[in-house]
Amino acid sequence: CVNDVLVQGAEPLFFLDYFATGKLDVDTAAAVVGGIAEGCTESGCALIGGETAEMPDMYPPGEYDLAGFCVAAVEKSEILDGAKVREGDVLIGIASSGPHSNGYSLVRRIYDRAGRPAELEIGGVRLVDALMAPTRLYVKPILSLLRAHGAAIHAMAHITGGGLTENIIRVVPDGLGLDIQASAIVLPPVFDWLQREGAVADAEMWRTFNCGVGFVLVVPQDAVATLGAALDAQGLAHRTIGQVVAASGEERVRIG
């Protein structure tokens, strides 16, 4: 949620959650709310309330449903809506921490088919830990970047469901497209395992997962070095993954 509002340059103010279950398990609920509170602290926003519902006829034992939403604020004059994006702008991809809560229907299918090898070592960690790595929250470093270099950032995109194929193009005006370099998308070990084990085609990987790119900045060519240095100072791994081009035909996103 906080990454989603961040793309417009907005600062998260507060978060509310909804936890529903058949019969409340206090330890489980406390762990879940504790995780939400940790995320709020990491994002600099307040957890101001929520709802806990017990509905015995709706949920089997041990299962629960979780939802939430965030409210953020940005000065109207500072909203990033993609209007500044121009042909020749560069896409800077910022590293993700893993699947980021997206594509898990496919993840579960591949994991089950592989025999649930939780202890398999992937990139120096257990597979189950790589698959369940918490989503990286970019709020504090990106807000700091906006304060220092806001004029040089034309747009931002959070890579969620729809992956690289569908998310970045949302902030690009009509008449423009994206040329993303496939060679710049180096799959982290967990995504490499998912693709190999699931025999997932490249196009499906790019449409379903972030493939190691959790957040994208759209910036003019002459700002790439400055913003790259600023990202390094924030400890955010990054790489140039493509550029904005004139749209040709109906297919506005090319990855190749």
Side-chain angles (χ1 to χ4, degrees):
C1 288
V2 294
N3 285 343
D4 280 344
V5 295
L6 180 62
V7 299
Q8 292 185 304
E11 179 177 0
L13 301 178
F14 57 84
F15 188 87
L16 285 89
D17 66 86
Y18 170 78
F19 183 97
T21 187
K23 179 176 176 56
L24 185 66
D25 181 297
V26 175
D27 290 340
T28 298
V32 170
V33 175
I36 294 171
E38 186 177 331
C40 288
T41 299
E42 188 178 341
S43 306
C45 68
L47 177 59
I48 64 171
E51 168 73 10
T52 301
E54 283 188 291
M55 295 182 283
D57 297 331
M58 292 292 292
Y59 299 96
E63 292 192 6
Y64 62 86
D65 189 18
L66 180 66
F69 72 94
C70 174
V71 173
V74 58
E75 293 290 343
K76 189 174 182 179
S77 61
E78 297 175 2
I79 292 176
L80 290 176
D81 59 4
K84 296 180 181 178
V85 175
R86 298 289 183 268
E87 183 179 354
D89 281 355
V90 175
L91 308 179
I92 299 178
I94 302 174
S96 67
S97 56
H100 280 199
S101 306
N102 291 287
Y104 274 84
S105 294
L106 181 56
V107 168
R108 287 196 303 270
R109 193 174 306 141
I110 295 171
Y111 184 67
D112 286 342
R113 187 181 299 167
R116 301 190 175 191
E119 301 301 318
L120 179 68
E121 185 174 301
I122 297 290
V125 299
R126 297 187 309 158
L127 175 62
V128 66
D129 292 330
L131 292 173
M132 296 298 290
T135 299
R136 174 171 287 170
L137 304 179
Y138 300 95
V139 175
K140 290 184 177 179
I142 294 299
L143 287 178
S144 176
L145 205 67
L146 286 170
R147 286 190 288 268
H149 306 284
I153 299 175
H154 288 175
M156 300 188 292
H158 179 207
I159 311 305
T160 56
L164 296 166
T165 305
E166 298 178 9
N167 282 280
I168 311 172
I169 196 64
R170 293 174 183 171
V171 298
V172 176
D174 291 343
L176 296 175
L178 299 172
D179 186 0
I180 298 175
Q181 301 159 4
S183 60
I185 305 170
V186 180
L187 294 180
V190 66
F191 292 109
D192 182 59
W193 182 85
L194 286 168
Q195 182 169 32
R196 286 187 291 103
E197 192 65 38
V200 183
D202 286 344
E204 183 65 17
M205 290 292 294
W206 297 329
R207 191 188 68 81
T208 303
F209 299 114
N210 65 60
C211 294
V213 180
F215 206 80
V216 172
L217 307 180
V218 184
V219 307
Q221 177 68 53
D222 59 8
V224 172
T226 298
L227 287 169
L231 289 168
D232 288 337
Q234 293 283 357
L236 292 176
H238 60 91
R239 65 174 59 205
T240 298
I241 63 169
Q243 63 180 343
V244 178
V245 297
S248 57
E250 295 184 3
E251 191 65 43
R252 296 177 63 202
V253 181
R254 176 184 176 275
I255 303 180

